[in-house]
Each structure stands twice: as structure tokens, then as C-alpha cells.
Amino acid sequence: MLHHSIMLKTKTAMPAVRSNSVHRSRLLQKMDAGLQCRLTTLYAPAGYGKTTLLSQWAHQYGGSTVWLSLDEMDNDLIRFWRYIVFTLSESGFAELSERMEPAMKATSHTSIFTFIDSLLNELAATTQPLAIILDDYHVISDETIHNSLAYFLEYLPSHVHLYIASRNTLPFSTVKWNVRHEVCHIESGQFLFSYQETDSFYRQVHDLPLTETQIEQLVKSTEGWIAGLQLAAISLVNTENHDQFFAGFTGSHRNISEYLFHEVIMRLPEEERSFLLKTSVLARMDAHVCQALTSLPQCQQMLTRLHRQNIFLIPLDDYGTWYRYHHLFADFLRSQLEQTAPGEARKLHRLASESYAERGMTDEAIDHAIAATDYTLAASFLAQHIPVLLQRGEFSSFLKTLDSIPDHENHFSPLFRLIYVFLLVACGFTDRAELALTQLEQSAASLEDSTEHQQFLSGLFFVRANLVFATGDFESWIASSSQLSGELPESPLFYHFNYNTTEPFIRRTRFGLKGMLSDQTEAVGKHFSSILEAHGWKDSLINLYTIQALAEGLYEENRLEESLDHLQRVRLVALQKQIPGLLVPYALTSAKHKLVEGNFVAARKIISETRETVTSWGGSYWLNPLQAFLAHIAIQEGDIALAKTELSKLPPPILNQPSIQRELEVLTYVRLLLAQQQEQEALRILTILKPSSIREELLISQVDIAILQALAHQQCGNKKEALAFLHEALLIGGNNCYVRSFLDEGTAMSHLLHDYQLRLKKRSQQPGPSVSAAYVNQLLSLFPKKMEKRKAPLIEPLTGKEMIILSMLAEGASNKMIADELGNTLGTVKVYLHRIYGKLGVTNRTQALLKAQEISLLENSPVD
């Protein structure tokens, strides 16, 4: 589940609106106009009322609204989108967090865009108008977040609207949407209060019946700047001589803010003034942490009183528990604190850190310990929190936290410094990682032999291996890794890290190199596993995932016995440790082996038993790919009715909103469509999936999709297009030792490869990248001989659907039985039979079966 902290809820709670606030009709109308656009922006400096306007509009809006207040710590791609999902799930999108969690975890081996695709599909499945509000977007500086948000905007469903408040213009282009009139901008000049709004503000909100002259003077001096008007109001409430106040109230709003803040602060009682200064170090506060900083016993009453006085205190929930200061006011208070009590802020940060730590709010405790420059305290909290921080996958945020602590050698243990290097690798800073790892190896060489040192060496091997996989420098790693000797303890932090929480095949993950296969990758995998086993890490997750990845690769290369040998080593430990991300790939690969043997019963048994096991573990996410594979087995058997039944058990959005993350399920559905002669719908879905497979650099997916596109066009009679898509698949397959991806498609692929082979012979030189004729010949040689043996060539090869019908004819099925089984009309079946007879050069059913037997399309075909 997503990380649901108290602080997170304060970021996603919509600020309350005062019942007597000024109703800004002209701006609220502009906000309503934004519902006709995909994006509405609110650009203005601090103190212009952006947040107030957003919350006022959100409370009156009739559709669903979600709110996220951003801060500096949100400059982490995963954290940013995790918060988006959380705020959606808290605001009427029940169970969205749970459904999106697998997609979030998958970002360890897919790009954020695949996650966003899944989120967009979830939003597209709703019809209720939705406004997503991002406040204070100017704090976001991470380029990857800007790019991801621009992508999100590009594909936003028409009933979803994004509202962004920022002090600056957006750091990504909105020109395209401007041209389409899909952006609504509200800029600083539009936020300025008019005379009428200023008059209403003082009468309604502050009960200050000022004269026309005084209102005019305030409007002129503040230029309608709401923060200035608010400051003036607080000062007026706390002074009896209004004339004296106005006499000193001169100049533009650009130089009155400090004067007014001084006016506000100096007129407050000492206890309140002290409270404000001491709590200014807090980004968010409740009575508990305020008491830790001020030692006042009645902090809840103080917060309530300050809010009632309009002292720039913004409530963050509906219960009056959590608050924050207006950003301008907070900045002023902190500067005053530093002027009046230099160094006091660090002491207050430490008190805040300890207060948060007592309540288990470790994120906040760490932040305040660092702000206090108490790096020893920060490091101790971090050490306790490492598993949680790694589990969240917010590696960029974790890295920034560690980078903010100087002198790692003094504050962190060698094992902790290894985690830092691991984060550098995970975030793509491989050059920095190499340097840091080299320095760490040198400094650790002098460590005394101990359990901690042994665990360090164990972790060192792990991190170095991760760096090698990130850089591809396999040869130097093989040379250096051989120097490791003796048994070492497993580091649970590294060796039991669960690499797979979403993918039905390890080869699709980054750990499985996304489908890359070569002699070198195999050698590295086997060498890596042998070292792990030699040092006593045989049953570690990292070793078992390596073995499973090798088993899948060996299956693809058609080295079936070797693949089975590797699989045997996975099952028992996957069951003992209850790791569905390991057991499911094992089961699917094992079932594939049974399908090669033609043992459909055994394949179905493996998948059904795995479903029962995973269900008992509570791994509901994994049931869908297993369910889809049961349908895949049925299609292989030619039992289309059963395949339809099995796929009907999947949640409709999986098939209605195709996503690369659910590729196994979606491609099984595509195969069913092809079996039902619905080629155009199959091609439409494949066209949706293909760009994602290329973007994610998923070689295995690109091959599978291109193969199905080829078979779909073959089935439509579009030979030229079919061969073009087959060429795409063969290019990747030839470079990566792919065999079974082609063999498992059976007769239809055999026919298509024969046609491709003929074209290769006719064209000695192909335009663009070429496919090796030897590779094509190798593939054809591996198909069962009955597929190649022909006494007389067919006029045109039978399509996959036609082969299924021919097989049903051989089983004695009537036209009506075939129609019922395939979900077609009798007329459609007769059309198919007419095509089959034409291709076989016969005129009736009996002749068709005899001809099929003669040319080995079917074995021992019964004849009526």
C-alpha cells in the first residue's frame, strides 16, 4: 500500500474557506471557464491569493476535486506521482491506491510513462467531471516531473481538468494547447483587489467599516495586493488610532510588507509573538510539536486563537488539528528569529525532530535533524528507516537526503555508504557511483574482520554487480568478481530485495535485461549465480531471480532441457518464501514447456495450482496473468468457447484499456480476437501497445507484438504487410537468439516464414537492415516435419482461424457446432469453408480432409 502518513494527509486536504470571505465572482467565472480546457494556470507572486481562490472555487465546484499542496521534498518523480494517486484515492476514487500500487512498483523497470498510462486508463474509466489541483508548483524543479506532467496533460481524458498555481510560468511548453484554446490563464494583475472587493474584505472579513478615503488609500498603497490588505487589516484591528496608522501607511506594496509584518508582530502579546517565532521553523504543525518547541501547555488553544485572528495561519484539515503559516509570513518570521536569536533555529529544529520521532513520523524527524545540522541524529533515524525508504522506491528523494549530509565517512557505516552508492546507480549517476565505490573499497580494506565487515563485502559484491548491469561493463566485472573468496553472510537488505512485484516473466524486467539475449549475457548470468552459490547465497532472492531469468532465456533459445534444469531450482524456494513474483514466472515458463510437449492437461494443472497458492498468499494482483494464461492454453487447444469463458473472468478495464503493463492479458485477448476472425480489432489493440513497448525498450514485447501483427495481416490476406511485420520481429529475434517466440505460433508462422524465405531468395539485397537467411532457415528447420511436408503446395496458406476450423472438421464437428464454438453465424462458417475448399483445391468436406491428410496438415484425419 501507499505510504499514508499524517503529513501526507495535510498535503492532500483542501484548505478550509471562511464563511465570510470575499466572493470573487469575476475570478471564479474564469475558474469555471477552465472546465472547458484541459489546463488552467494561476500565475502570481506570493501573497496574491492563489490558494484562497483555488480553495474557494473547489468548495463550490459541483464535480469531484482533488488537492495537492507541493513542497521542496516533492522533487522526486515517484513521490510526486505517489501523492497524486493518494489524493485521488482520498477524494472519491476508492481503491485507486491499491490498484495503482503494482504500476508504481513497476517503475523499477519501466518508465514513469507506463505508470501514467495506467493512471490515465483509470481516470478514463470514470465519467464524473474531475478537477486536479496542484498548489505551489513553483517548488518543483525536477525536469523529469515536468516532462511527466506534460505527458499526463497530453492524454488527459476530456472530463478531467488540471489546475496549477505557481509563482512562475510553467517550465514546459503549453503553446500547443494555447493554439487549441485548451488553456485558461489567470495572471497576477487579475488577482488584484478592486475597490469594491477591498471594501467587502474590510467589512465582511474584519468588521472594519473604513471610510471611502481610507479604502482608496489602501487600494492605492497596496495596489490591490491581498497580502498587504490582510496585513493592514490585522494592524488596524490591533490599533485604536486608525488615523495615525494611515498617516504612516505610504509607498507601494513592494516596500510595505516588512513594515506591516513588524506592525502585526509588535502589536501582539509577548506570548503569541514568541510562539510565532519559535514555530516558524515548522512546515506544518499541530499542538504536540508546537508544545515541544514552545513549552506552552495550551498550544491547541493558541493555534485556534491565532487562526481566528487571521494571523496568516492556514488550516490543513477539517478538524483544526494541523496548520501551516502563509509562505510570506513564514519567511518573515524565520528572518526575525535569526535576527533576534541567532542559532536558535537549529535548536528548534532538533526539538521538532525528536518530537516527530517519538510519534514514528520518521520522514519529518529526518528533515528537521538535517535542518538542525545534527547529522549524527539524522543518520541514526535514516539507519532505522532504510528498509521503508527503499521499499517506497523514492530513490531520488532518498539520495538528495543523503547528499545533504556532509562527510559520509564519519556519519555513515560502510554498509550505509554502500546504500548510497546503490542509490547513485539506481538514479543513473554511474560515474559518481564508480568513484564513490572505488573510494569505499579503498577505505574498507583496512577494516577488521568482523560480521559487519563480512556483510559489507557481501553487499559490495551486490552493488558492484548492479553497477555493471547499469553500465554493461561485464568483462571487467567478471575479472574482479573472481577475486572474492570464502563464504560470506547474506545481507538481507540487498540479497532479499524483491526485484519483481508486477511482471509475469523476469525477462521483461530491467533485471532480466528486458528481453536481451546473447552468449555474453548468459555467461554473465551463470557466472554471477555461480559466485552467489559459492559464497553460500544459493537461496537468496537475487540468485533465484537470476536463475529464473536464465531459465526463461534458455527456453526462448529452444534449449529446453537446460531451461528445465534451471526451473527445478526455483520452485521449492519460491514456495517456501512465498514470493509470487518468482513463483508465477516459474509456473508460466513450466506451463510453456508442457505446451511444447502438447500436454495441455499438465499445463493447465500447473497454472491452476499456482492460482490457488497465490490466492492463499493474498497475492490478488497475480491472479489476472495466470487467468489469462489459462485462456492462452484453451486457444492453443482450439477450444475458443473455453478461452472466452476464461478471459471473461478478467476485470473489464484490463482488456478495454490496453496497457503494456498488462501485456500477457492483452495479447491473449488479441489471440482470441484472431481466432474469432476479428483481425481489425486485434490490430487496433496492437497499434496501441506497440509505441509503449518501443519506449520501454522491451525487446520481448516488440517481438511478440510484431509477430501478432504479422499473423493478423496474414489472416486478412495482406501478405505484403504480414511479411513487413515479420521482418521487424526477425530483426530483433535474430540479434537476440529468439526461437520459441516463432516456433510457438505453430503452422501459421511456419507458412509465413516459408513465404519470407522465398522473398529472401528473390531479393539478394534488402533495403535497410537485413535478416540472416541462416537464421530463417534455422527457425524453419525446427518446426515439426508435418508442417513442412507437402506433396503439393497449397494455392494459398490457411490462416490460423482456418486451421482451427479444419481441425474441428477432422473431429467431425457440424457447421452448427463450429459456429457455436467460435461464436460465429452459420453464414460466416460457410464463408470460411468456401475459402478453405478453394485453398485446398477441393469442393467438399470429405475431399478437404483427405487433402489435408495427404499434405500433412492434419494427422490421421477421420473422413465422413
Side-chain angles (χ1 to χ4, degrees):
M1 295 294 291
L2 297 175
H3 178 60
H4 294 182
S5 72
I6 295 171
M7 284 301 191
L8 175 51
K9 291 185 178 181
T10 67
K11 288 167 61 66
T12 59
M14 192 183 305
V17 176
R18 293 178 180 274
S19 59
N20 60 348
S21 61
V22 176
H23 188 77
R24 310 202 68 187
S25 302
R26 58 192 174 85
L27 290 181
L28 293 172
Q29 288 173 7
K30 288 275 290 182
M31 295 286 286
D32 285 337
L35 295 171
Q36 307 305 315
C37 307
R38 69 177 65 223
L39 172 65
T40 299
T41 63
L42 292 79
Y43 297 142
Y48 272 69
K50 300 183 295 296
T51 301
T52 301
L53 176 65
L54 279 170
S55 58
Q56 191 177 86
W57 177 81
H59 279 283
Q60 71 168 35
Y61 173 51
S64 298
T65 309
V66 298
W67 183 289
L68 178 59
S69 296
L70 298 164
D71 56 46
E72 294 284 352
M73 293 302 295
D74 296 327
N75 278 287
D76 180 284
L77 185 65
I78 303 303
R79 182 187 183 110
F80 178 88
W81 286 103
R82 195 183 290 275
Y83 282 5
I84 295 282
V85 170
F86 177 81
T87 190
L88 283 164
S89 65
E90 289 287 290
S91 306
F93 291 81
E95 300 177 356
L96 180 65
S97 290
E98 185 175 350
R99 292 199 302 273
M100 288 302 301
E101 183 67 1
M104 179 62 74
K105 288 179 177 178
T107 55
S108 63
H109 50 80
T110 63
S111 74
I112 195 65
F113 302 111
T114 292
F115 165 81
I116 294 174
D117 287 342
S118 298
L119 178 57
L120 288 166
N121 283 339
E122 291 280 352
L123 295 177
T126 67
T127 56
Q128 173 76 6
L130 168 68
I132 300 174
I133 297 173
L134 304 180
D135 196 18
D136 291 329
Y137 191 78
H138 55 270
V139 301
I140 300 298
S141 57
D142 190 298
E143 191 68 25
T144 61
I145 294 177
H146 300 324
N147 294 337
S148 67
L149 190 61
Y151 180 87
F152 180 71
L153 266 169
E154 177 71 27
Y155 299 102
L156 205 61
S158 59
H159 63 281
V160 182
H161 314 277
L162 187 60
Y163 287 76
I164 300 178
S166 175
R167 296 180 190 176
N168 313 311
T169 57
L170 292 182
F172 53 84
S173 175
T174 61
V175 172
K176 174 170 48 179
W177 303 312
N178 280 330
V179 172
R180 299 175 188 168
H181 305 289
E182 294 183 1
V183 181
C184 178
H185 294 298
I186 302 177
E187 298 179 344
S188 57
Q190 296 170 278
F191 281 94
L192 300 177
F193 268 42
S194 65
Y195 174 90
Q196 291 77 13
E197 288 173 327
T198 303
D199 185 52
S200 297
F201 174 72
Y202 283 106
R203 292 179 185 277
Q204 290 176 206
V205 180
H206 292 280
D207 194 24
L208 286 167
L210 303 179
T211 66
E212 282 187 28
T213 302
Q214 290 170 333
I215 295 292
E216 288 174 355
Q217 185 177 351
L218 284 167
V219 171
K220 180 179 178 181
S221 297
T222 63
E223 298 178 8
W225 180 47
I226 180 58
L229 295 172
Q230 171 75 350
L231 284 162
I234 298 171
S235 295
L236 286 165
V237 166
N238 288 286
T239 183
E240 296 179 0
N241 191 335
H242 289 183
D243 291 335
Q244 183 180 352
F245 171 84
F246 280 103
F249 190 65
T250 58
S252 73
H253 78 280
R254 292 180 178 82
N255 58 26
I256 64 170
S257 58
E258 189 158 336
Y259 164 76
L260 288 172
F261 276 131
H262 273 294
E263 282 288 306
V264 169
I265 290 292
M266 295 310 296
R267 293 182 184 279
L268 291 174
E270 172 59 29
E271 186 178 65
E272 292 183 8
R273 188 160 65 244
S274 174
F275 180 92
L276 290 171
L277 291 175
K278 289 182 178 180
T279 57
S280 67
V281 300
L282 301 169
R284 293 173 181 81
M285 68 196 83
D286 68 348
H288 188 281
V289 70
C290 289
Q291 185 172 352
L293 271 61
T294 65
S295 300
L296 293 176
Q298 305 295 325
C299 286
Q300 184 61 57
Q301 290 86 331
M302 176 69 80
L303 288 168
T304 303
R305 185 164 70 250
L306 290 171
H307 178 236
R308 286 175 181 165
Q309 293 179 59
N310 296 302
I311 307 292
F312 289 90
L313 195 63
I314 300 171
L316 298 175
D317 57 31
D318 295 329
Y319 313 106
T321 303
W322 286 91
Y323 294 86
R324 73 168 174 85
Y325 292 120
H326 188 286
H327 298 313
L328 271 179
F329 193 48
D331 290 343
F332 170 77
L333 290 175
R334 289 167 192 155
S335 68
Q336 288 296 298
L337 177 65
E338 188 58 34
Q339 289 176 30
T340 57
E344 182 70 13
R346 287 195 295 276
K347 297 177 183 177
L348 293 168
H349 278 298
R350 182 185 174 90
L351 291 172
S353 176
E354 293 170 344
S355 173
Y356 283 129
E358 287 172 6
R359 289 191 280 172
M361 300 168 73
T362 314
D363 286 337
E364 292 71 31
I366 292 167
D367 291 343
H368 281 285
I370 292 172
T373 66
D374 191 336
Y375 301 123
T376 302
L377 182 64
S380 69
F381 290 151
L382 280 163
Q384 300 167 26
H385 209 41
I386 285 172
V388 173
L389 292 170
L390 290 176
Q391 183 65 31
R392 284 190 213 160
E394 297 171 11
F395 294 155
S396 177
S397 181
F398 192 2
L399 182 62
K400 286 176 185 175
T401 299
L402 296 184
D403 274 334
S404 66
I405 298 177
D407 196 8
H408 284 192
E409 190 167 354
N410 284 332
H411 291 115
F412 296 151
S413 67
L415 196 59
F416 203 153
R417 291 166 65 193
L418 267 180
I419 292 167
Y420 175 71
V421 179
F422 173 72
L423 292 172
L424 287 172
V425 175
C427 294
F429 300 114
T430 53
D431 289 343
R432 288 175 59 193
E434 181 66 56
L435 178 61
L437 194 57
T438 301
Q439 292 173 344
L440 184 55
E441 288 171 331
Q442 292 171 351
S443 64
S446 59
L447 291 176
E448 292 183 9
D449 191 22
S450 63
T451 301
E452 184 180 358
H453 182 234
Q454 294 294 305
Q455 283 212 345
F456 167 76
L457 292 177
S458 164
L460 185 65
F461 173 75
F462 172 92
V463 174
R464 175 63 74 181
N466 273 269
L467 180 58
V468 166
F469 276 89
T471 59
D473 186 12
F474 297 121
E475 292 181 6
S476 64
W477 176 76
I478 289 176
S480 64
S481 62
S482 302
Q483 300 169 10
L484 197 63
S485 60
E487 284 205 10
L488 296 173
E490 294 179 19
S491 170
L493 193 61
F494 292 125
Y495 288 86
H496 293 282
F497 187 81
N498 192 357
Y499 281 86
N500 184 37
T501 57
T502 59
E503 288 295 343
F505 292 104
I506 304 304
R507 286 181 62 224
R508 283 175 49 86
T509 68
R510 185 172 286 131
F511 186 80
L513 300 179
K514 297 190 174 185
M516 183 191 300
L517 278 179
S518 69
D519 292 342
Q520 187 182 48
T521 59
E522 180 187 339
V524 168
K526 289 183 175 179
H527 184 66
F528 183 56
S529 178
S530 68
I531 293 175
L532 290 169
E533 295 187 6
H535 292 85
W537 307 324
K538 177 182 177 182
D539 293 338
S540 64
L541 284 188
I542 189 173
N543 187 45
L544 292 170
Y545 275 124
T546 301
I547 293 170
Q548 177 61 35
L550 286 167
E552 293 173 25
L554 290 165
Y555 173 86
E556 180 61 64
E557 293 183 54
N558 203 36
R559 295 158 62 183
L560 301 182
E561 289 187 10
E562 292 177 77
S563 173
L564 284 170
D565 287 343
H566 281 72
L567 284 174
Q568 302 297 332
R569 301 157 64 187
V570 173
R571 179 177 177 272
L572 186 60
V573 180
L575 286 169
Q576 288 175 342
K577 298 188 177 183
Q578 298 190 4
I579 309 293
L582 191 58
L583 182 65
V584 170
Y586 156 81
L588 291 171
T589 309
S590 298
K592 280 187 168 187
H593 277 277
K594 296 301 180 184
L595 292 180
V596 172
E597 299 169 7
N599 193 339
F600 301 110
V601 173
R604 185 173 286 108
K605 182 180 179 183
I606 289 170
I607 301 301
S608 297
E609 288 179 350
T610 303
R611 272 181 55 82
E612 292 177 9
T613 300
V614 172
T615 300
S616 70
W617 294 347
S620 59
Y621 172 84
W622 298 98
L623 300 182
N624 292 324
L626 291 167
Q627 183 65 45
F629 204 80
L630 289 174
H632 177 83
I633 295 169
I635 293 170
Q636 293 278 77
E637 284 184 286
D639 193 339
I640 306 306
L642 177 59
K644 288 174 67 175
T645 300
E646 298 287 18
L647 278 183
S648 69
K649 297 174 185 178
L650 294 176
I654 289 179
L655 304 182
N656 297 339
Q657 299 153 10
S659 165
I660 196 71
Q661 190 191 341
R662 290 294 193 176
E663 183 191 303
L664 190 152
E665 295 94 312
V666 175
L667 292 190
T668 303
Y669 179 50
V670 166
R671 293 178 187 282
L672 177 62
L673 290 171
L674 292 178
Q676 295 176 303
Q677 212 71 17
Q678 297 180 44
E679 297 91 353
Q680 294 309 313
E681 177 60 12
L683 286 168
R684 184 190 70 82
I685 293 172
L686 293 170
T687 301
I688 292 173
L689 281 188
K690 194 164 194 173
S692 299
S693 71
I694 295 170
R695 180 190 68 210
E696 300 300 330
E697 300 178 338
L698 276 167
L699 300 180
I700 187 172
S701 301
Q702 292 173 45
V703 169
D704 286 346
I705 291 169
I707 284 174
L708 287 172
Q709 286 176 309
L711 293 174
H713 280 289
Q714 178 196 37
Q715 198 160 296
C716 293
N718 303 328
K719 183 177 289 188
K720 181 179 179 181
E721 290 84 352
L723 293 176
F725 283 116
L726 178 60
H727 180 73
E728 285 183 23
L730 289 169
L731 277 175
I732 299 173
N735 290 329
N736 291 278
C737 311
Y738 281 27
V739 176
R740 290 293 343 164
S741 289
F742 298 93
L743 293 189
D744 289 347
E745 297 300 334
T747 305
M749 177 54 68
S750 175
H751 293 333
L752 195 55
L753 280 168
H754 271 294
D755 290 338
Y756 188 87
Q757 185 185 51
L758 290 173
R759 180 160 294 192
L760 277 179
K761 291 176 180 177
K762 289 178 182 178
R763 297 183 180 180
S764 57
Q765 289 187 341
Q766 294 183 3
S770 61
V771 173
S772 163
Y775 174 55
V776 177
N777 294 339
Q778 176 207 1
L779 291 177
L780 280 168
S781 71
L782 293 171
F783 279 93
K785 297 305 177 187
K786 66 179 181 180
M787 294 183 181
E788 301 173 342
K789 180 182 172 185
R790 299 184 184 182
K791 292 183 180 177
L794 293 178
I795 297 170
E796 183 182 344
L798 297 185
T799 67
K801 181 67 170 287
E802 289 163 352
M803 283 300 301
I804 290 171
I805 292 175
L806 185 62
S807 298
M808 295 176 76
L809 288 180
E811 294 170 0
S814 66
N815 289 1
K816 185 176 185 308
M817 291 169 65
I818 294 172
D820 292 342
E821 186 76 5
L822 299 183
N824 294 134
T825 65
L826 274 173
T828 301
V829 171
K830 289 177 181 178
V831 170
Y832 278 127
L833 289 173
H834 180 73
R835 289 183 192 169
I836 292 170
Y837 296 161
K839 291 181 179 181
L840 292 173
V842 299
T843 58
N844 60 47
R845 172 187 292 236
T846 301
Q847 291 175 355
L849 293 175
L850 287 171
K851 182 64 177 283
Q853 188 175 27
E854 177 188 342
I855 63 175
S856 298
L857 280 180
L858 297 169
E859 285 188 321
N860 303 319
S861 305
V863 180
D864 290 339

